[in-house]
Amino acid sequence: MSRNRRTTSLRDSETRLTESDKIECTGSWDAIEWTQIDQPVVSRPVPHGLSDFLYEAEEVIAEASRRFGKPGYGVLVNTDEAGTLFVTNFRLLFLSEGSRDIIALGTIPLATIEKFSKIAIKQLSGPRQSDKTPTRRLLQVIGKDMRIIVFAFRPRSKQRRAVFEALLRCARPTRLWDLYAFSSGPSRFSNTSPRERLVNEYLRLLGMKSHISSARMIEDGSFTLSNDWWRISDVNATYDMCATYPFSLLLPKSIRDEDVLQACKFRARCRLPAISWCDARTGAVLARSSQPLVGLMMNMRSNADENLVGALCTQLPDGKRGRRKLYIADARPRKNALANGAMGGGSESSSNYFQSEIVFFGIDNIHAMRESLVRLRDYLDTHGTKSSDGMSSFLRHGGWTWGGGNLSSMSASVSTLGDSGWLNHIQNVLAGSAWIAARVAIESASVLVHCSDGWDRTTQLVALASLLLDPYYRTIKGFQALVEKDWLAFGHPFADRAGMPSLSGSDVELPRQSSSSNFPSSPMRQTPGSFPSQPLMASQTHASNNYSPIFLQWVDCVSQLLRMYPFAFEFSSAYLVDFLDCTLSCRFGNFLCNSEKEREQYGVSDACGCLWMYLDDKRASGGSSHMHYNLFYDPSKHEGPLLPPAAALAPTLWPQFHLRWSCPSEAQAGEVEAQCRNMMDKISELQKAKDAAERKARETIATMEAVKAEIRSEKQVSSSAMNLARKISRENNIIKRAIQSLGCRIHVSGNDDCTINIESNLPDRITSTCETGGSLDLYDEKMDVPISVTLTHDNGDNDDVSGNPILRVCENLCPQRTVDGGCKWPDAGCAQLESQFVGLRANYDAFDRLSIYDSYFQPE
């Protein structure tokens, strides 16, 4: 059956149903009492093909799919897509029946689920049909990430019951260590010491970047360094002074630890004024605390507290006379601050604090923020293209647009967005943060910020003002340092605000979880053609519910600043979405528990993975073009503080987060950014190809130069060889002619053997003379070069020269030769021919054997 036909028939049947015919919420999340479930969670064998989609240590708990060979009726109503629904120890996973891929809309981490409930809708029966018409069984899941999803199941298949019971066991464990973060362990995303990183951030603020903290410094307490104004104190090293403050605090140098211990007693939950950010150049500071305990009559005082706050007002820089002004920013509405006086709280009096001024920002409490987000989520689901009832907003009332083209109805729907109040709250937080940043940057004033407990609205304002003041916090590394300092170290109760297990001493308590007790969820609208409304439990009151999207709201404010100043931030909107998803999913241990003390006490950092390492690993896989990096980031354009004017603080919906489930196509409001990223990727690829081509060209040129040099060298060697060959050839020709002139014929065979035939008669044209110098000069009339044959003495040992024909030629030239062919010189076996001369070797020892009566030279 087509989607339109099925949806229309369903809605037509519902319009004719009475309230008594509807079966409403047979199992509501809000109705669950938080008691320990003794039934153990048993994992199932991993179905074939699913292991590729599971994370490390993720196990399947329940499955709703095919049964008895029939296709399972697990349908995601939002998109009318059939598939298989799995419950693991980490998430609710929906696998498409057709593509066998994960459907992102139907896959949600268990910790991200705000509430879930079973719904049954009775179908319309015709006049001739039995009254026992089966009901349509639905499972509604509402997420903290702005999605509302509904699954439909085959009647009487018990699949919905299996999924629902698995969610009861796994979605909200009663023990902290039953969370998936502990099952997966640190793996390769191990978390280094958060306390070391906090001290390093303090050292950076003090202008002491050359110092780097270490585990040894933390253990022996040698991290307590200081500059001219401020110091790092270990007064809370054991968390005895304040359980929700960090182990180290940045305090005025003039205040002793004894005075600090006295001052903390005057503040709610002992959260005394501590420095969150300071300007090492001017001495201005941004401090935070909880409300003072002034009492109902506003007349309680503390000298230690007043001295500590007064120490924040140091001398003005640049030789200016006097001390700087102090602003005390109370984030609450004035009436709320006065009402807190009845419970011992309240607000400061400017007359009790030196040169101070009290300002109220009027930001509502956590309950107002929770209800506002519920209204916003319902609005988006009602008017989105993928609503939880399976109908687009363009078809909701039978028309092609909102209200069937009725402009008044369209105006009403648009006003619903304003009625949610979410954007107003965002604007209030932005305006307050901008005001604080302006006071510090323009007036060099110090500002003390607090609300009631000092961990919700105070953290929002201080962290956002620091982001505006310090460009370092607008980098990825600085953003991590900011979140770890102001949100984690200073004790924002993440477990309570996220509705997860929290630790209180050795007891484990699980806060109640609900979205709101006053505003129905979108799939249960009380309008024709909608699902039945969910009953609300009376036990779910604001007083017992501490869940609130405070951190989500702050990240939303950061996204607004990123939209206003696209060149000022190193990270992108996609980074903020991934960061927020990781926080809500509780996949990592960074945001578990309510304080630094609890995380240290139970070794969360060592037992769980680190969100920051995970995000770093994702960016490393994509390089500088990764989607987490802002393409337009140019730190040179915003080197100082960002001071947005009031007119610019007009927030809008954050498309990448608010619209990604209900309006996925419009969530691509970053389409321009996506196109730019694609272009940057192409440019990067072209640049890489260009660099490779240039590198190859340089290598080719270098190779050509080497070849040229080698050719020149070979040419020189060849030229030298040719010259030598010509010289040798000329010498050979001369020797050949000389030998031929002596009556010899020279024949060189193919195997380079040389044969010399000697003629008996020497040519007459050869004259031989023996000069005093022992040389023999030959002259050929046919040659221009005279031949000089030199007779030298050779001490060689080879005396057998009779068989050498060349030597016989030399004997013809020797003046000591006799007529009968003998030698006048005794034992002469010389006449040895070299390359250019004839050497004569004589046996001078023969003279010693001659008698003086012997005639050596006989007459011829």
Side-chain angles (χ1 to χ4, degrees), residues 339-455:
N340 272 274
M343 295 179 289
S347 186
E348 296 88 348
S349 172
S350 59
S351 61
N352 297 335
Y353 293 89
F354 176 79
Q355 206 167 329
S356 64
E357 179 179 343
I358 314 296
V359 181
F360 293 91
F361 286 166
I363 301 175
D364 288 325
N365 58 22
I366 61 173
H367 311 296
M369 302 305 176
R370 179 180 62 247
E371 295 169 357
S372 176
L373 185 67
V374 171
R375 286 192 293 263
L376 176 63
R377 182 174 56 204
D378 290 345
Y379 166 78
L380 295 176
D381 184 72
T382 301
H383 301 289
T385 58
K386 294 189 181 297
S387 299
S388 58
D389 56 8
M391 179 173 285
S392 170
S393 62
F394 298 103
L395 304 175
R396 188 167 305 286
H397 300 289
W400 57 272
T401 185
W402 286 331
N406 189 325
L407 292 179
S408 61
S409 179
M410 292 177 64
S411 301
S413 65
V414 174
S415 65
T416 306
L417 173 61
D419 293 340
S420 70
W422 182 258
L423 296 182
N424 290 335
H425 295 315
I426 294 291
Q427 187 173 21
N428 289 340
V429 176
L430 285 172
S433 304
W435 186 91
I436 293 172
R439 301 287 77 75
V440 176
I442 298 176
E443 300 181 17
S444 293
S446 292
V447 181
L448 172 63
V449 184
H450 71 75
C451 51
S452 296
D453 295 320
W455 54 37

Side-chain angles (χ1 to χ4, degrees), residues 510-524:
L510 190 59
R512 289 184 176 274
Q513 167 60 39
S514 173
S515 178
S516 174
S517 60
N518 298 328
F519 302 96
S521 299
S522 173
M524 273 33 94

Side-chain angles (χ1 to χ4, degrees), residues 326-346:
L326 172 68
Y327 289 95
I328 300 178
D330 195 327
R332 303 166 293 180
R334 183 187 295 270
K335 61 179 182 179
N336 291 13
L338 296 177
N340 272 274
M343 295 179 289

Side-chain angles (χ1 to χ4, degrees), residues 550-566:
I550 298 299
F551 186 68
L552 186 155
Q553 188 179 53
W554 179 77
V555 178
D556 194 346
C557 291
V558 177
S559 74
Q560 303 292 337
L561 293 177
L562 177 58
R563 175 182 57 84
M564 287 187 281
Y565 299 98

